[in-house]
Each structure stands twice: as C-alpha cells, then as structure tokens.
Amino acid sequence: MSEETLQTVRDRIRPFPDFPQPGVLFRDISPLLKDPTAFKALIDLLEDHLRASFSKIDFIAGLDSRGFLIGPPLAQRLGIGFVPIRKKGKLPGPTESVSYTLEYGKAELEIQSDAVEQGQKVVVVDDLLATGGTMCAACELLKRLKAEILECLVVIELKSLKGSEKLKSIPFYSLLQYN
C-alpha cells in the first residue's frame, strides 16, 4: 500500500465535533466522496487489499447506507456482485431480519432471503466501525444464510470504541484508524 495514496484518502476525512450528539467526534467521508481522485484512491487501496488477501470472493455485502457508496464500485472492480443489507422495511420479498443496539439507540437490519447461497464467500463493507453493533448484526444475517464471511472491511475504525473485538473470530480490516 502506498503511503502517499493512503494520505490522499486520509486528507479527505473531515472531523465534526459534537455530532450527532455532544462529546462525539464524527468522521465525515463526504469530502472523500466528492473528490474523484481521492475516491479512486480509496477504491484502489481496498481492491488491492482484497486481491492480496483472498483468491475468491463471491459478493460484497454493503451496509445501509454508506456501505452502498463503497461496496458497488469495489464489487464492480473485482468483477463480482453486490448485496445490500438494509434498514428494516426497505427490501421487497422474503427477508431475514435482526435487531441490534446502536451507539445512540436500537435498529433492525434486513437482507433478502435469497441474497446469497450456502457457502458463498462474502466480504462485508461499511465506511466506519464504531461500537460494532451494525457490523455484528450484518454478520448474523449472513450467517443465517450460511454464507462464509471472509472479512469485515471498513474505511475508518474508531479504535477506542473496541468494535472489532465484538466481531470475535471474523477477520477485520480497517484502512484508517482513529482513537
């Protein structure tokens, strides 16, 4: 991984103090998304990581909503499909659903029951890992469908919240880490 390329991505992460509530330092990827050079650098870095780590991936599963911004271009680069994991009530047809706790409340995630088949290899993608609740819920849904979760992949990890510890035996990779 080129340190210069990584710095291009890092430079486009904008901190917002006291959002969404006092005491929280929000890491905003909006400047990264609107800069085509930085966004390409991000997808290049994630693609390089996945190609070096796994010989076969069947799907990228992206978490609602920012995983939808990173997952599809990454899947397209890898020549594989993209599977959305959405907030409850947003997907048609039969779904699997799981409730979980967020940093600021409770939520539910869903995946279509036929999104992946037993044994298919999936990488779960989101922009940020904080406490790990959403990522763990997504993994639970994929396990119910009997997918093989190769890795949980995020752009930003908030290390002080120890979310990756909740993933237990599921491999985890973050491009950028903040305390």
Side-chain angles (χ1 to χ4, degrees), residues 140-158:
E140 173 61 29
L141 289 172
L142 289 163
K143 287 176 185 176
R144 286 184 193 175
L145 298 180
K146 298 184 176 19
E148 180 184 341
I149 302 167
L150 297 175
E151 182 174 80
C152 294
L153 172 66
V154 299
V155 178
I156 300 167
E157 177 185 8
L158 303 179

Side-chain angles (χ1 to χ4, degrees), residues 70-95:
I70 300 159
L74 184 56
Q76 198 261 342
R77 287 265 195 98
L78 296 168
I80 59 176
F82 175 79
V83 173
I85 298 178
R86 303 237 25 215
K87 294 173 180 134
K88 185 164 177 66
K90 302 291 185 183
L91 291 171
T95 60

Side-chain angles (χ1 to χ4, degrees), residues 22 36-37 42 45 56 59 71 79-80 99 103-104 113 118-119 123 132-133 138 170 177:
T37 301
L42 170 67
L45 289 168
K56 181 178 185 337
F59 291 105
I80 59 176
S99 296
E103 300 90 293
Y104 319 111
S113 299
Q118 181 175 339
V123 172
I170 299 171
Q177 301 81 32

Side-chain angles (χ1 to χ4, degrees), residues 106-141:
K106 293 188 182 216
E108 271 187 89
L109 282 182
E110 286 184 326
I111 191 170
Q112 289 175 314
S113 299
D114 63 353
V116 297
E117 295 177 16
Q118 181 175 339
Q120 287 187 309
K121 299 173 184 316
V122 179
V123 172
V124 186
V125 174
D126 204 3
D127 69 321
L128 182 134
L129 184 78
T131 63
T134 306
M135 189 66 76
C136 285
C139 290
E140 173 61 29
L141 289 172

Side-chain angles (χ1 to χ4, degrees), residues 24-91:
V24 174
L25 180 61
F26 187 85
R27 302 288 179 169
D28 181 24
I29 66 166
S30 297
L32 175 64
L33 297 172
K34 73 180 191 180
D35 179 333
T37 301
F39 188 67
K40 180 185 180 304
L42 170 67
I43 300 303
D44 288 347
L45 289 168
L46 297 177
E47 177 188 9
D48 290 349
H49 164 73
L50 290 177
R51 287 192 187 279
S53 301
F54 305 105
S55 61
K56 181 178 185 337
I57 303 169
D58 294 307
F59 291 105
I60 298 291
L63 303 187
D64 198 344
S65 67
R66 290 182 206 97
F68 294 178
L69 304 173
I70 300 159
L74 184 56
Q76 198 261 342
R77 287 265 195 98
L78 296 168
I80 59 176
F82 175 79
V83 173
I85 298 178
R86 303 237 25 215
K87 294 173 180 134
K88 185 164 177 66
K90 302 291 185 183
L91 291 171

